[in-house]
Structure formats: C-alpha cells, structure tokens
Amino acid sequence: MDSQTNVAVKATDEAPSPDLAAPELYLNRELSLLAFNKRVLEQALDESMPLLERLKFVCIASSNLDEFFEIRVAGLIKMAELNPNQRGADGKAPQELLREIADRAHALVDEQYRVFNDVLLPAMEQEKIRFLRRSEWTTEQDHWLENYFHEELMPVLSPIGLDPAHPFPRILNKSLNFIVQLQGKDAFGRNSGFAVVQAPRALPRLIQIPSHIKGSGPYDFVFLSSVIHAYVDDLFPGMQATGCYQFRITRNSDLLVDEEETEDLLEALEGELAQRQWGDSVRLEVAQNCPEHLWRYLMETVHLTPADVYQVNGPVNLNRLMALPDLIERPELKFPAFTPRVHKGMTQDAFATLRERDVLLHHPYDSFSPVLEFLRQAARDPNVLAIKQTLYRTGAKSPVVEALIEAARAGKEVTVVVELRARFDEAENIDLAEALQEVGAHVVYGVVGYKTHAKMILVVRREESGLRHYVHLGTGNYHPKTARLYTDYGLFTSDTKIGHDVHNVFLQLTSLGKVTSMERLLNSPFTLQRTLIQRIDREADNHRAGKPARIRAKMNSLVDASMIQALYRASQAGVPIELVVRGMCCLRPGLPGISDTIRVTSVIGRFLEHTRVFCFENGGEPEVWLSSADWMERNLYKRVEVAFPVLDARLRKRVLAELQCYIDDRVRAWELDADGHYTRTGVPDEDHAGAQQTLLFEATAT
C-alpha cells in the first residue's frame, strides 16, 4: 500500500479516532473513470470473446474517452481558471489533477492503438478481414479507389488554403480533418504552403473494396483518411502535396444555460445546441507521423499545450470502427444472438396481471416488449383516463413516444416530463417534446436546476372499486435499443401506496407546492440520501447488537463523500459490505481500521451494467431497493430520482440471488484495492461462467 493510504487520525479525549473526511481516504473520481476505461479496453485482449466484439470494446473505450475530455477535462480546465484552489474530497487541486490525467490518458491512448495495431489487426487478417495500407493496393484497387475518390469524395470536399484572405477555419468538434503541406504556386501566384481539408461527417470512414476487384478478399477495407491522403494532390491542381496529416480537435461540449435567467428552457437549449460544436478546445489528436512544426502550429492555433496533443498510430477516431461488425456476415465472430424472455401475462392483459401480483423484469434477459405493450394497452383501453411518464433517453422514432401519441389522440390525459438536458440527447428530446405537444399531450421540463432522472410511468384507470393506479418504475431509460445492451430492472405494480407516491412525484415535477411525505418511495433531492445513510447506520447498530447485518449494493458510481463515510462507519462496526461498482469508485476498500470489511468489484462484459440495487440485511428481514440513482452528489442532491422497494417476497428473493451472482463473479469481475488498482479476479474456463452468462443461460433456458 502506498503512502497515499496512510490513515489520518485526530486526537480526542479518549483515544485517536480516524478522520473519515481525510483526503487520503478517497480516490479521485476522474482518475477512477480513466481506470474504468482501461478495464473496458482490457476486454479487447480477452480471447474468450468473439473477435469483432473485442474490436467494439476498443471503440467503446475511444468513445468514452471523447466524452471524458468533452465534459470532465473541459470542466477541470474551467475550474483551474476560475477557482484554482477548489479541491474535491481527495484533496487534489484542478491543475495538479489535469497533469495526472494527461499522464494516464496518454498512456491509455498509446495502449488503445497498440491493442488495435498489434493484436486486433493481425487477428482480423487471419479471418480475411483486412485494412489495406496504400503500399498494399494492387493496380486494380488503386484505379477503383481513385475513381471512388473523384466520384464520391472530391465533390463534397472543400480544401481551404491558409493565407491572409483565408484564415484557419473553424473546426467542428471531433470531426476528421487534414493539414496539407504544399509546394508550388496557384493560379493567383499564392504559395502559403498550407491548406486544411475537412471531411464531412456524412462520408463513411471505412470504404469496402468490392470483392470482384482483382486482388481483393471478401472483407477488404480502406480508411477514408488513406484515400484522401493518396489523391490529395488532385484537390490542388498544379501544386504538389508534400505532406498530408489527419487531425481532430475535441471541444468543451457541456451546455451552459443560465436557468435562473431563462424563461423558455427549450428555446434556450436549442440556441445553445448550435454552439456545442464550437466550444473551447481541450484536446488535439494528430497522426503520429505529423512533423513537429505542423502539430505545434495546430496546437498554437487552437490554444492548447503539448500536454493536450495526442499523436496516434492509426485513425484519429477509433470509434468509427463500430460500424465494421455490421458490414461483416460472420456470426461466429460475434456474440451469439439470443431471444429475451417475454412475460406473457403483461403482453396479454397487463392490468389483470398486476391486480394479482407485481411483475419484475431484468433487461436484457427479459424483453422490453411488456413495457411497450403496457403503454399500448393503456392507450387503447377506454377505462384508462390518464398516463404520466418521465422521458430521459428514448432514441429517435421511439415506440414509447408513439404509444403516448396514440394515447393522446385517443383522448387520454397524457402528461410527459421530458428532460431536455439529457447529455448528448438534447436535440432528440426537443424533437420528441414538440411531437408530443402537437397531439395535445401536456409536456413539461421538470424543475429548473434539477434534472429529472427518475424513470416512471403512471396509468390511472377507472375500475368498479374506483380509480386505480398502475405503475412502472425502472433503473434505466425507456429506450428499446439500450434495453438489449444495458442491464436494468423494471418493476410493475398496482400497490396503492406506491401509486400514490408516484402521483406525488409527478405533482412535484409539474406543479408547485411543499414536499409531500412518501409512504414507499425515497426521492431526491429530499429523502433518498438521508434514508440510505439511516439504513447503513442501522446495519452498524444491528451488528453491534449481535443481530444479522450485511450491506450489498450495486451501482454505476460511488462518489458522494457522505455515503462513503457512512460505509466506513459501518465497516468500523464490523458490517460485511459487498459493493459492485461498474465505473467510478472513490471509496478505498481494505484500509485497516477504516474499511476492512468492504469489498468492491467491477463487472464488465457483454452488457453494460446499469442496475442500481441496494440491499440491507435489516436484522434478518432483508430490505431491497431498486433505483435510478447512483451514489453521486448529482444524483442525491441535484436530480429528481426515486428508489423503490421490492415488496413481493418472491421477487425480493430473485433480486438478492441475482445480485449475489454478481458478487460471486470470478470471471468478468475486477477487484479494487486500497490504492485504486483493479485486478481481474479470474479468467473464463469451461467450469465457470460470469454473472451475465449465468443469467443469460437461465433466461434462454426458461
């Protein structure tokens, strides 16, 4: 254990006791996020996974790193300018942290390209999937590509010569560009020597050479950058291109809307979205062979430093390779297809089913179709009076939105809380909000200053006994596509008290008034954090009293210092604590006298782990909560979130068993130590399956 983990203590009248707020007890969230991306990249080296799926993990790591720079690094740069002495729980100042991030990010990018070039490219070539360099093109391939360049590319390319009349152009965020070094004079006698070529995003980054071209295999590809490089001379008649080098600029993409001064949030966001692509520069990626004088020219032009420059040995945007598996008909190189379980009762008569019992879905093992069918049945049922729903991320042309539109057209009272500020989905959410308004649905944007992250559907139905509430609560988004890629829970219930609580949360979002007490739900920013800490402290009291005590929890991120301190207190009392934290974790497990009883693992596999599950032993009567919220400051204090109990004993037992499956994972899990390092707990073999594979097998065998 390094010196960082020496526990700070403070003197008391009785005996020294650890200061649980001491900076050395906390890992840094940004560095923890980089560690998560390193674990994602490590999946590309796992030979037990199909080859094209391993390539996807390289793409995912690349995409994650883009967002990391666009949001986290951009925010730290601003913080370093405006409040350089501000420190997080770990005690790091912004400038110090930016230096550490640069060191680790450069190493991570170098490893990405090493894995791509030295591991995946040779493996794909063995499977007759080739990425042809210009030196490898046959004469026939050269002719075909040159014709492709002139017919498909050249008409949409607009080279810009750099001279006093043509200053350096505005470069779109994360777009592919080339800086070209030229010799000779043009028709006007100009010889500035440089030009920039911008590649429109509509152009494919991978070009497949038809197999009938002599020398070509079934899956031969050429990068767009190689084609432009090969024929760039044709863009500058009478001149010679002596160098052509790709580059890419990443910009600050966080939206800045002054909500207190904004009267119309939708209109303000529409205006801000137009500027997102032109934020301040935070990173410059250039081809590895770009001469120093050129990359320094680019760096200075966009106001960056050498630490912000990433020279890469390959395409500057590996994420664009995500399209490759769809171009290749090789099922054996991909994950086997599977058909999720479908809950028949929900698809046949959802309301009759829910009058009898609660229903729990665990996506993607369980199909998302019952959620859609629940909405469709509500839209068509003459006894349904109203539907209320929150929408955070749904995707374009969403069947969820289509069902709500159908309900509005059928005369139902439809109220939709659309979160316009769902990062990178803002434009789609604006479009769907306008589509819902056109059919007469009531569309609101939640509470100023608080993102609406809770996932809720409330259906009000007239029955013989009176009005009855039917509810769906989820840990993830109402997005059919991600429901096949992310693990999430969804609970259907007609429990009267839960229905009443959900109704009150919608009142908070759509109306005005004081906080109303909840009978079943916990909600932020009001009761969630406080109640969770009470539950953690109760486990400590139970353990000291000799009662059964245990904490098990699964989430995406554990960052909030108050939650970490509560877990430290419980560990000091001796409570066994098992945490499955996919991404950022600022808690240090295994510190003597602080967190001896805490174990933290991160499971990474075929599906993106997205469930939030909080389980408390409660003296032998376990409580199980599902939630849309991670244990982060933003979720606990700055968002509208809910946590909901699993009341049905049968369903509670199922959730506990599935959570234990993750805790016991010795195949896809990585264990965190006190110094912030992750070690894989095992390797795949015939006798052991990870949690995801186990649950997938159970689902498909049902």
Side-chain angles (χ1 to χ4, degrees):
M1 189 176 299
D2 62 25
S3 60
Q4 283 282 76
T5 57
N6 292 329
V7 177
V9 297
K10 58 181 179 181
T12 67
D13 293 337
E14 299 177 0
S17 61
D19 177 7
L20 298 185
E24 55 265 34
L25 300 187
Y26 298 86
L27 298 169
N28 178 265
R29 59 175 289 170
E30 277 75 24
L31 299 181
S32 182
L33 188 52
L34 281 176
F36 165 66
N37 283 322
K38 189 175 188 299
R39 297 196 297 281
V40 172
L41 180 61
E42 289 279 350
Q43 307 307 302
L45 297 172
D46 187 343
E47 295 185 359
S48 71
M49 286 194 175
L51 179 58
L52 292 178
E53 304 295 345
R54 292 165 60 192
L55 175 65
K56 284 184 179 180
F57 280 106
V58 172
C59 299
I60 293 168
S62 177
S63 177
N64 287 350
L65 203 55
D66 282 352
E67 183 174 343
F68 178 76
F69 276 94
E70 290 176 282
I71 305 300
R72 300 306 313 165
V73 172
L76 282 170
I77 292 172
K78 286 294 183 186
M79 188 186 299
E81 294 172 356
L82 301 175
N83 194 354
N85 296 318
Q86 182 173 334
R87 300 169 187 268
D90 63 300
K92 294 184 185 294
Q95 202 58 54
E96 173 193 1
L97 182 54
L98 285 168
R99 288 192 292 270
E100 287 193 55
I101 286 173
D103 290 342
R104 298 197 191 188
H106 276 91
L108 181 58
V109 169
D110 289 345
E111 177 65 5
Q112 281 181 341
Y113 283 89
R114 185 196 71 80
V115 170
F116 178 66
N117 290 314
D118 299 346
V119 179
L120 296 182
L121 284 184
M124 286 190 286
E125 190 163 353
Q126 288 185 350
E127 299 292 343
K128 295 183 170 54
I129 302 168
R130 301 190 300 169
F131 297 88
L132 302 179
R133 297 179 176 87
R134 282 175 291 142
S135 60
E136 299 172 324
W137 297 352
T138 65
T139 301
E140 291 79 3
Q141 289 171 337
D142 192 350
H143 289 160
W144 186 87
L145 287 166
E146 184 176 19
N147 184 63
Y148 182 91
F149 174 82
H150 282 277
E151 292 190 1
E152 301 291 335
L153 305 183
M154 195 169 176
V156 297
L157 295 176
S158 298
I160 299 173
L162 302 181
D163 62 24
H166 300 85
F168 196 85
R170 296 180 77 189
I171 301 297
L172 198 66
N173 181 38
K174 298 186 297 184
S175 60
L176 175 63
N177 306 272
F178 301 84
I179 185 163
V180 184
Q181 193 165 265
L182 299 166
Q183 278 186 351
K185 294 184 179 181
D186 72 355
F188 297 93
R190 297 173 300 181
N191 61 348
S192 71
F194 298 109
V196 168
V197 178
Q198 299 174 291
R201 288 187 168 175
L203 296 179
R205 289 332 191 228
L206 280 177
I207 299 164
Q208 185 171 4
I209 301 178
S211 57
H212 69 265
I213 303 298
K214 186 175 180 181
S216 301
Y219 299 112
D220 281 356
F221 298 90
V222 176
F223 289 112
L224 174 67
S225 54
S226 294
V227 178
I228 291 177
H229 198 163
Y231 310 112
V232 71
D233 274 334
D234 295 352
L235 296 173
F236 306 94
M239 303 184 76
Q240 180 183 1
T242 59
C244 178
Y245 311 98
Q246 57 181 320
F247 72 93
R248 182 173 181 253
I249 296 169
T250 309
R251 299 185 178 278
N252 182 340
S253 294
D254 215 0
L255 294 180
L256 298 175
V257 176
D258 188 345
E259 296 178 356
E260 292 186 2
E261 298 297 325
T262 296
E263 295 183 3
D264 189 327
L265 184 58
L266 185 146
E267 183 178 328
L269 273 171
E270 285 181 314
E272 186 68 19
L273 279 172
Q275 298 302 314
R276 166 175 273 171
Q277 305 294 354
W278 312 109
D280 293 339
S281 305
V282 294
R283 176 180 59 166
L284 170 65
E285 297 167 276
V286 298
Q288 192 176 62
N289 62 343
C290 182
E292 182 175 351
H293 72 280
L294 282 182
W295 66 253
R296 283 191 176 274
Y297 165 72
L298 292 170
M299 176 192 77
E300 292 167 2
T301 301
V302 297
H303 310 296
L304 294 175
T305 70
D308 306 316
V309 179
Y310 291 75
Q311 293 183 278
V312 301
N313 183 21
V316 294
N317 184 4
L318 288 173
N319 187 44
R320 295 303 292 262
L321 291 168
M322 187 66 87
L324 182 69
D326 291 335
L327 301 175
I328 296 174
E329 296 294 331
R330 296 284 301 278
E332 74 278 14
L333 301 181
K334 306 175 187 180
F335 285 129
F338 75 98
T339 302
R341 289 177 300 218
V342 177
H343 194 288
K344 300 298 184 184
M346 289 298 297
T347 56
Q348 292 168 356
D349 188 338
F351 303 118
T353 298
L354 295 180
R355 283 193 292 272
E356 294 180 4
R357 63 187 184 280
D358 291 353
V359 170
L360 182 73
L361 303 180
H362 191 178
H363 311 299
Y365 315 108
D366 293 309
S367 172
F368 188 74
S369 62
V371 179
L372 298 176
E373 190 58 32
F374 176 65
L375 283 169
R376 289 169 183 149
Q377 289 180 30
R380 297 164 189 170
D381 188 333
N383 294 317
V384 168
L385 305 180
I387 302 173
K388 300 182 181 184
Q389 181 167 3
T390 58
L391 293 180
Y392 192 76
R393 302 187 198 276
T394 62
K397 298 181 180 178
S398 167
V400 171
V401 175
E402 290 174 2
L404 293 171
I405 289 173
E406 180 184 356
R409 286 174 173 162
K412 314 295 183 189
E413 190 77 6
V414 176
T415 302
V416 186
V417 181
V418 178
E419 181 46 69
L420 295 179
R421 294 155 298 176
R423 186 177 296 149
F424 300 122
D425 280 346
E426 297 94 344
E428 286 184 356
N429 284 4
I430 288 172
D431 290 343
L432 69 88
E434 291 174 343
L436 286 163
Q437 286 172 326
E438 287 176 2
V439 295
H442 303 294
V443 178
V444 297
Y445 308 125
V447 181
V448 170
Y450 297 85
K451 279 189 178 181
T452 301
H453 197 249
K455 314 306 190 302
M456 309 180 297
I457 301 174
L458 174 65
V459 172
V460 182
R461 189 173 188 269
R462 186 183 300 282
E463 300 182 355
E464 290 183 6
S465 58
L467 297 183
R468 186 162 189 165
H469 291 160
Y470 294 87
V471 169
H472 175 269
L473 295 163
T475 67
N477 299 301
Y478 292 110
H479 196 311
K481 182 177 179 181
T482 58
R484 289 189 63 90
L485 303 173
Y486 296 7
T487 69
D488 271 307
Y489 279 115
L491 177 71
F492 291 98
T493 183
S494 64
D495 178 82
T496 302
K497 292 180 180 179
I498 288 181
H500 185 260
D501 285 354
V502 171
H503 170 74
N504 282 336
V505 176
F506 274 109
L507 284 180
Q508 290 175 1
L509 292 170
T510 62
S511 185
L512 301 170
K514 296 290 187 181
V515 177
T516 54
S517 61
M518 301 284 174
E519 297 188 76
R520 300 282 201 212
L521 300 187
L522 310 179
N523 71 318
S524 65
F526 306 114
T527 61
L528 180 56
Q529 183 259 10
R530 181 178 72 248
T531 308
L532 288 174
I533 288 180
Q534 289 173 351
R535 295 297 193 273
I536 294 171
D537 289 343
R538 185 184 63 188
E539 293 302 307
D541 292 339
N542 284 343
H543 191 274
R544 283 188 284 262
K547 299 178 182 178
R550 184 184 184 188
I551 297 170
R552 288 171 283 178
K554 182 174 179 291
M555 64 198 77
N556 300 335
S557 301
L558 172 55
V559 173
D560 180 65
S562 66
M563 299 299 298
I564 293 173
Q565 289 175 24
L567 291 169
Y568 283 160
R569 290 194 301 271
S571 181
Q572 289 176 313
V575 178
I577 302 173
E578 295 148 313
L579 306 175
V580 182
V581 184
R582 185 195 79 208
M584 294 182 289
C585 181
C586 296
L587 177 149
R588 293 182 184 266
L591 292 175
I594 301 291
S595 55
D596 309 73
T597 66
I598 301 178
R599 179 173 181 260
V600 179
T601 58
S602 170
V603 173
I604 300 176
R606 173 175 183 172
F607 308 119
L608 179 79
E609 289 301 330
H610 200 246
T611 52
R612 289 87 161 190
V613 186
F614 316 138
C615 304
F616 305 98
E617 189 63 26
N618 189 31
E621 298 181 4
E623 281 187 2
V624 175
W625 298 84
L626 305 178
S627 183
S628 56
D630 289 306
W631 290 1
M632 301 177 69
E633 290 89 345
R634 70 185 188 191
N635 301 89
L636 299 173
Y637 314 118
K638 296 298 292 182
R639 287 184 172 183
V640 177
E641 305 268 19
V642 296
F644 46 98
V646 180
L647 301 174
D648 184 292
R650 174 180 52 88
L651 299 182
R652 192 163 56 243
K653 182 178 179 181
R654 173 189 168 187
V655 173
L656 288 169
E658 291 175 344
L659 177 58
Q660 194 62 42
C661 193
Y662 282 98
I663 292 170
D664 294 340
D665 193 314
R666 294 296 184 273
V667 176
R668 297 291 175 199
W670 298 71
E671 187 160 358
L672 174 65
D673 67 20
D675 293 328
H677 303 135
Y678 285 83
T679 304
R680 192 161 180 174
T681 58
V683 294
D685 59 44
E686 294 181 357
D687 298 323
H688 298 88
Q692 291 186 0
Q693 190 59 37
T694 298
L695 295 175
L696 190 59
F697 176 78
E698 291 176 357
T700 54
T702 303

